[in-house]
Amino acid sequence: MVDAATAEKLEAAFKKLQGQESKSLLKKYLSAEIYDKLKGLKTGLGATLLDVIQSGCENPDSGVGIYAPDAEAYTLFADLFDPIIDDYHQGFKKTDRHPASDFGDLSTIVNVDPEGAFVVSTRVRCGRSIEGYPFNPCLTEAQYKEMEGKVKTIFEGLAGELKGSYYPLAGMTKEVQQKLIDDHFLFKEGDRFLQAANACRYWPAGRGIYHNDNKTFLVWVNEEDHLRIISMQMGGNLGEVYRRMVGGANEIEKAGKFSRNERFGFLTFCPTNLGTTIRASVHIKLPKLAANKEKLEETAAKFNLQVRGTRGEHTEAEGGVYDISNKRRLGLTEFQAVKEMQDGILELIKIEKSL
C-alpha cells in the first residue's frame, strides 16, 4: 500500500490536474475511475502512481504527461499507460505486440544524398535501460554511480572507430565543459518536465558523456534514459551512421542486459520512445518544397516522417534547414524504422529535384 504522505500528495496532484486546462494525454485518459483503481498500487521497487503522473500534473502544457518510474510500471499501471501509448503511437492496441529486435541487412541502408546537395548531416540514436535498475525517479545515488561504473568499463574496451574518452559530469573542468558545449555534445540538467518527474536527483552523480575520437559516436549516460546511444556524421550516408550505432549498441550491451518487454520492446523512461527507441534523422535543405511548408509536411507525413526546425521540436528552420526523422518507433523493427525514413528522404529529394 501507498503511505499516507504519498496518498495525500497524489490526491492533491489529481485535483490540480482536474482543475486545469490541459491538452495532455494524461488529462484525456486519467478518469476518476482509473485514478481510484491505481492510486493504492506500488511496484516492487516502490514506485507509485504519483511517480507516473506528477510531471503532467505540474505542467499542463505537456503533450503526454506521464513517465514510467521503472519497468514494472508499464504493466502495473497499464490501465493508464495502454490508452496513452495507443493514442501517441497512432494505434497500438492491448493485444498488439512489438516484434523481436531486428537490425536487418545493414548493407541495404544507403547514402541518401551521394551528391551532397541536400543533406547537411545524419544522425541515428536509440535509448536503452539496463535490466535490474529502476528508471530515473527511483534510482539511488549509489545505483547511478554503479551503472556509470559498469558502462565505463565497457567504454575503456571499445576499439577501432568506437575508441574514445569518457567525460563524467561530476568534477568536470570548465575547459572540458566548454569543449563539449562547442561540439553540441553536452546535455544539461533536465528541463522542467523532467524536473517535475523527479528525474534529476543527485545531479551530476553518475552522469557523463562518451565520444569516440572522430566525434561520430556518442553515449549519454543517465540523462533521460540510462543510455542514449548516438551515431552521427556530416553528409547523407545513413548506412554508415546506422551500422556504427548498431555496432556500438551491441558492444555496450555487454555492460548488462537491456531492459525489454515482450509487448513494448525496449523499455524507456518516456512512453513515446518505446519499441525500437530509434530516431533516425537528417538535417536537410529542401528550399523549393519548403516554400510551401504545408506541402512539405503533407509529403513527409505520407512516409510517417516528422518535420521539425533545425534545433528540434518547437524551433524554426534556420537557413531553410529542417530536421526530418521517422515518427514510428513502436510495432515495427529497427530495420523497418530506418528503412521507412530512408525511403521517405529519397522521395523528398526526388520531389525537390523535380520542382
Side-chain angles (χ1 to χ4, degrees):
M1 275 301 287
V2 169
D3 63 76
T6 304
E8 201 176 311
K9 279 186 198 161
L10 188 50
E11 196 60 41
F14 184 56
K15 278 209 171 75
K16 187 173 183 175
L17 179 72
Q18 284 182 307
Q20 65 197 9
E21 275 296 304
S22 172
K23 290 193 172 73
S24 74
L25 295 179
L26 168 65
K27 171 91 174 183
K28 184 173 171 182
Y29 291 106
L30 186 60
S31 63
E33 187 189 345
I34 300 271
Y35 171 77
D36 284 336
K37 188 176 169 185
L38 303 179
K39 66 181 181 185
L41 303 179
K42 204 173 183 177
T43 68
L45 293 168
T48 68
L49 183 63
L50 182 64
D51 294 304
V52 174
I53 69 171
Q54 57 194 355
S55 181
C57 295
E58 275 306 305
N59 297 290
D61 57 341
S62 297
V64 178
I66 63 169
Y67 289 99
D70 59 26
E72 191 195 341
Y74 280 113
T75 42
L76 189 67
F77 302 107
D79 288 328
L80 178 59
F81 275 103
D82 284 352
I84 288 178
I85 288 166
D86 183 39
D87 190 318
Y88 179 85
H89 292 279
Q90 298 171 330
F92 195 79
K93 300 186 298 298
K94 255 188 177 329
T95 49
D96 288 340
R97 290 278 175 279
H98 184 75
S101 181
D102 179 12
F103 290 109
D105 179 352
L106 302 182
S107 66
T108 58
I109 301 293
V110 301
N111 186 337
V112 291
D113 181 23
E115 295 151 28
F118 304 98
V119 177
V120 180
S121 62
T122 304
R123 181 175 182 265
V124 182
R125 66 97 165 136
C126 66
R128 291 289 185 267
S129 308
I130 298 175
E131 205 171 74
Y133 290 94
F135 303 156
N136 270 329
C138 299
L139 282 167
T140 63
E141 187 170 2
Q143 286 172 318
Y144 271 119
K145 290 177 173 171
E146 191 180 304
M147 267 200 290
E148 179 188 40
K150 284 184 176 180
V151 291
K152 246 169 78 175
T153 306
I154 296 294
F155 293 152
E156 283 159 11
L158 291 179
E161 71 160 347
L162 298 178
K163 189 173 88 60
S165 309
Y166 178 69
Y167 302 93
L169 260 57
M172 186 178 277
T173 65
K174 282 274 177 280
E175 296 77 46
V176 170
Q177 195 177 359
Q178 196 50 52
K179 186 169 85 72
L180 292 169
I181 288 170
D182 294 343
D183 285 329
H184 301 294
F185 287 173
L186 193 68
F187 58 84
K188 298 185 197 68
E189 196 168 342
D191 58 20
R192 61 191 165 90
F193 300 97
L194 290 170
Q195 294 274 359
N198 232 348
C200 309
R201 296 189 312 162
Y202 315 113
W203 190 274
R207 276 76 164 192
I209 293 155
Y210 175 85
H211 71 73
N212 67 346
D213 298 337
N214 299 340
K215 299 183 178 180
T216 56
F217 179 74
L218 182 70
V219 184
W220 284 357
V221 178
N222 287 321
E223 184 240 4
E224 180 179 316
D225 285 309
H226 294 168
L227 299 165
R228 278 278 167 97
I229 301 166
I230 305 159
S231 172
M232 63 205 168
Q233 66 192 48
M234 300 310 284
N237 200 330
L238 177 63
E240 266 180 24
V241 174
Y242 180 52
R243 286 189 282 279
R244 188 185 308 115
M245 188 216 75
V246 173
N250 288 339
E251 282 297 315
I252 290 164
E253 187 158 18
K254 293 172 185 170
K257 195 166 178 283
F258 293 143
S259 206
R260 225 185 123 81
N261 154 313
E262 275 197 354
R263 179 147 180 253
F264 293 130
F266 288 109
L267 296 179
T268 50
F269 182 44
C270 181
T272 63
N273 285 322
L274 288 167
T276 61
T277 77
I278 280 199
R279 182 171 188 269
S281 62
V282 288
H283 274 174
I284 188 169
K285 287 186 292 219
L286 299 163
K288 292 173 184 166
L289 251 179
N292 180 349
K293 180 97 190 293
E294 250 168 54
K295 175 95 164 89
L296 172 65
E297 293 199 329
E298 189 186 306
T299 312
K302 279 183 194 156
F303 293 92
N304 296 307
L305 296 178
Q306 188 172 29
V307 180
R308 296 174 171 182
T310 314
R311 305 240 170 250
E313 232 168 348
H314 318 304
T315 64
E316 290 305 306
E318 296 165 18
V321 175
Y322 286 91
D323 174 309
I324 301 184
S325 64
N326 63 304
K327 199 171 184 180
R328 300 198 307 150
R329 317 201 204 297
L330 185 62
L332 72 174
T333 67
E334 290 82 358
F335 179 74
Q336 286 168 332
V338 174
K339 179 86 167 67
E340 187 166 73
M341 176 267 199
Q342 168 180 287
D343 295 347
I345 297 297
L346 288 170
E347 192 56 33
L348 287 175
I349 289 175
K350 195 167 134 190
I351 294 167
E352 179 70 19
K353 282 178 169 173
S354 72
L355 293 174

